[in-house]
Amino acid sequence: MTQIEENKPEVKDTPLVPIEKVVSLSKRRGFVFPNSEIYGGVAGIYDFGPLGVEMRNNIRRYWWWSMVQNHDNVVGIEGATITHPRVWEASGHVENFVDRLVDCKKCKRRFRTDHLEPENLEQHKCPVCGGELTSEPRVFNLLMETYLGVVEGDRMKTYLRGEACQNIYLDYDNVVKSSRVQVPFGICQIGKAYRNEVTPGNFLFRQREFEQWDLQFFVHPSEMDKWYEYWKNFRFEWYKGIVNHKDRLRFREHGSDELAHYAKKAFDVEYKTVLGWQEWEGVHWRQDWDLSRHSEYSGQDLSYTDPLTKERYIPWIVETSGGVDRTFLNLLLDAYEEEPDPNGKEPRTVLHLHPWLAPVKVAVLPLQKNKEELVSSARSIHENLRRYMVSQYDDVANIGRRYRRQDEIGTPFCVTVDFQTLDDQTVTVRERDGMTQIRLPISELTMYLLDRVTWK
Ligand code: GAP
């Protein structure tokens, strides 16, 4: 263990971070922008900026590495976001993928009935102004419609996919025939999903276009319990590994009244933020719902024949389904801290992001910008490092200001090139959380950093 790791501070029990803090940081530093902002924006749709796209790619790649590359019995696909319309009849979404809404007659606010407290529902009482709520809920289907073809009359109505995982069932048979996988095995996918959410909001938490990561794990019915437990625990540990506040994670089992139409049993991995305990990922016992329904609706037999026993059956499915955007938001909320300054100066805003997921891994800073030798040494270190990781070169403002700028975007390491560097080819490496500094030969720098910013 190096001096830097020894001096890393314990995770503090910091207060829950208001969403507005990360919305403001995201815009100011280029993580997330409201979509179509110059036209007034669109509710529930966001774009990712230069830092956001780096962090998002890291999140995606780490998930893919853990789920696909690191499991011999899991493969990946990437499906289209538009499918045949029958898919959504077979999946049950045309019939069941609905939200029920009531309106307040006084303040005109809208509420999803499943988000209301029972007493508000029973007494038809608005939780905000106390006014009267409409008694008959209006029902809205969340699927987003679109049309294929240009000629009026020949156009086919279909849907943007309402849950990304459907492609996995559609490609299941092709994967079995082309990939030599055998039950038990899994198929993973990361991809966009679209929902006409009636109450989008809370920044990235509930959007209308968002990205999901799914594993569908196909098992013999007799092994469902075992694999359900395996993936449930695996996913919980996975989330535990990337957050600072591990005590803000928990499992919650769905009551029978809240199970989705495809699930016989479901546990949510929940994370506590200012929004309360909220779903981060669902681990669903989908049983044979999907393959049976697609067999029935398509007329194609999607059963599996065991190569040894020759038993023929529809595999059951364990699903783990989470959100890339919700992960992004939770990680920002988990990492954000305004650390009081011991000398009473401005607090230090710092993102304690896991180094694996931070958008920029290292910043290379010459102590002074008007000393040519310092600048050229720093530039050459940066040009070498950027071949291996995201590195930023910065020579604008005093060194303290530059450290603060990097802390605010979660850069785990800053490398400072000073006058000693010119004498002995060593640099200062400063770590973000403890602000501890060590001196390292330039020749050891790349390996030192790679060891800390690459997942293993
Ligand atoms: N295939 C199962 C499925 O789609 P879900 O619980 O509806 O299950 C899975 O969605 C995950 O997708 C959620 O746990 C959440 O992380 C994310 N998610 C769902 N709706 C979302 C929305 N409107 N905005 C952002 N993320 C969302």
Side-chain angles (χ1 to χ4, degrees):
M1 197 186 271
T2 68
Q3 194 190 342
I4 276 189
E5 272 111 33
E6 275 168 24
N7 290 318
K8 229 170 164 282
E10 287 288 300
V11 176
K12 288 170 255 173
D13 188 18
T14 45
L16 297 175
V17 178
I19 301 266
E20 301 73 51
K21 293 275 185 193
V22 298
V23 174
S24 153
L25 177 88
S26 294
K27 173 102 190 284
R28 195 170 67 248
R29 299 306 310 272
F31 282 87
V32 185
F33 306 127
N35 173 273
S36 315
E37 197 181 13
I38 58 171
Y39 290 97
V42 186
I45 304 194
Y46 289 90
D47 291 346
F48 287 79
L51 291 180
V53 76
E54 293 294 346
M55 180 166 150
R56 206 174 151 83
N57 282 340
N58 293 339
I59 294 172
R60 284 199 199 103
R61 278 199 296 257
Y62 177 50
W63 184 89
W64 194 264
W65 176 84
S66 316
M67 301 294 286
V68 183
Q69 283 169 252
N70 227 11
H71 281 96
D72 288 334
N73 54 355
V74 178
V75 294
I77 62 156
E78 186 168 322
T81 57
I82 299 178
T83 56
H84 194 285
R86 288 276 284 165
V87 170
W88 302 99
E89 291 165 28
S91 72
H93 284 72
V94 169
E95 191 185 343
N96 299 308
F97 199 40
V98 292
D99 272 351
R100 291 182 167 73
L101 276 197
V102 286
D103 298 274
C104 174
K105 293 181 183 169
K106 192 167 160 202
C107 70
K108 309 291 178 212
R109 284 189 172 84
R110 272 185 195 159
F111 302 94
R112 271 172 59 172
T113 52
D114 58 335
H115 288 173
L116 282 173
E117 295 296 331
E119 67 260 28
N120 292 93
L121 256 183
E122 281 152 25
Q123 297 165 18
H124 308 299
K125 189 171 157 197
C126 172
V128 178
C129 74
E132 188 190 344
L133 296 176
T134 48
S135 50
E136 272 310 308
R138 290 183 295 153
V139 178
F140 291 93
N141 190 291
L142 304 192
L143 286 173
M144 270 194 203
E145 293 175 5
T146 187
Y147 293 86
L148 293 175
V150 289
V151 180
E152 203 58 54
D154 285 348
R155 289 177 5 135
M156 177 165 78
K157 184 173 109 177
T158 183
Y159 307 95
L160 301 180
R161 63 184 178 193
E163 58 169 4
C165 66
Q166 286 298 323
N167 296 79
I168 297 180
Y169 318 128
L170 303 177
D171 290 337
Y172 156 81
D173 199 41
N174 280 327
V175 170
V176 169
K177 287 180 177 146
S178 62
S179 310
R180 299 177 57 232
V181 286
Q182 288 180 15
V183 170
F185 76 94
I187 305 179
C188 275
Q189 182 187 232
I190 301 179
K192 293 275 191 179
Y194 303 83
R195 293 182 188 175
N196 246 330
E197 294 282 358
V198 282
T199 53
N202 291 319
F203 194 34
L204 305 178
F205 185 80
R206 194 173 309 287
Q207 298 173 85
R208 287 174 163 149
E209 173 179 332
F210 55 97
E211 198 165 45
Q212 295 185 306
W213 47 42
D214 292 298
L215 160 75
Q216 308 295 317
F217 199 77
F218 301 88
V219 302
H220 187 277
S222 65
E223 294 208 307
M224 185 70 178
D225 264 317
K226 175 178 113 186
W227 285 109
Y228 189 79
E229 282 312 304
Y230 172 84
W231 285 111
K232 190 171 149 243
N233 292 334
F234 185 89
R235 294 305 299 149
F236 195 73
E237 291 303 315
W238 192 87
Y239 284 111
K240 244 165 83 179
I242 56 172
V243 294
N244 297 304
H245 300 283
K246 302 184 195 315
D247 57 327
R248 293 182 190 163
L249 272 175
R250 73 172 187 193
F251 264 128
R252 189 180 68 80
E253 185 167 12
H254 279 214
S256 54
D257 54 338
E258 50 175 340
L259 284 172
H261 61 272
Y262 49 73
K264 296 273 180 299
K265 174 157 106 174
F267 275 82
D268 283 346
V269 176
E270 291 192 333
Y271 186 71
K272 189 172 154 196
T273 67
V274 277
L275 304 174
W277 287 99
Q278 295 286 352
E279 173 185 348
W280 191 340
E281 169 158 323
V283 184
H284 304 133
W285 178 297
R286 291 184 81 122
Q287 206 154 307
D288 58 347
W289 166 265
D290 306 280
L291 293 183
S292 298
R293 292 276 291 198
H294 284 303
S295 289
E296 182 190 335
Y297 278 68
S298 68
Q300 304 282 322
D301 180 6
L302 296 178
S303 59
Y304 175 81
T305 307
D306 187 292
L308 284 179
T309 65
K310 306 296 175 213
E311 183 190 356
R312 206 168 170 74
Y313 60 94
I314 293 278
W316 285 16
I317 293 175
V318 181
E319 170 183 72
T320 71
S321 181
V324 178
D325 310 82
R326 209 168 276 187
T327 302
F328 193 100
L329 172 63
N330 285 349
L331 289 180
L332 287 185
L333 290 169
D334 179 79
Y336 186 97
E337 188 189 1
E338 289 177 9
E339 201 177 70
D341 184 273
N343 305 316
K345 294 192 193 139
E346 270 212 2
R348 176 174 85 117
T349 301
V350 51
L351 282 186
H352 300 285
L353 288 171
H354 198 302
W356 299 347
L357 306 177
V360 177
K361 307 300 182 192
V362 59
V364 185
L365 320 169
L367 190 62
Q368 291 176 13
K369 108 187 228 187
N370 51 6
K371 288 279 180 282
E372 209 184 306
E373 299 96 310
L374 294 182
V375 167
S376 86
S377 171
R379 279 212 173 273
S380 108
I381 292 171
H382 160 66
E383 280 162 22
N384 179 50
L385 286 175
R386 76 181 179 196
R387 293 157 61 206
Y388 304 96
M389 64 193 82
V390 177
S391 169
Q392 272 190 0
Y393 171 85
D394 185 10
D395 61 14
V396 178
N398 70 44
I399 197 76
R401 287 271 299 279
R402 281 181 273 163
Y403 284 150
R404 289 282 174 112
R405 269 208 292 268
Q406 295 298 332
D407 291 341
E408 199 185 36
I409 61 169
T411 307
F413 297 102
C414 288
V415 169
T416 308
V417 175
D418 56 18
F419 292 102
Q420 192 183 329
T421 313
L422 306 179
D423 287 339
D424 65 5
Q425 296 295 298
T426 63
V427 287
T428 300
V429 181
R430 177 223 188 232
E431 190 269 341
R432 173 198 68 202
D433 296 341
M435 294 183 280
T436 327
Q437 305 199 0
I438 57 165
R439 218 112 195 135
L440 267 190
I442 295 172
S443 57
E444 291 175 21
L445 187 60
T446 307
M447 280 316 290
Y448 178 87
L449 293 173
L450 272 179
D451 195 34
R452 285 153 183 81
V453 303
T454 317
W455 46 73
K456 42 184 127 30

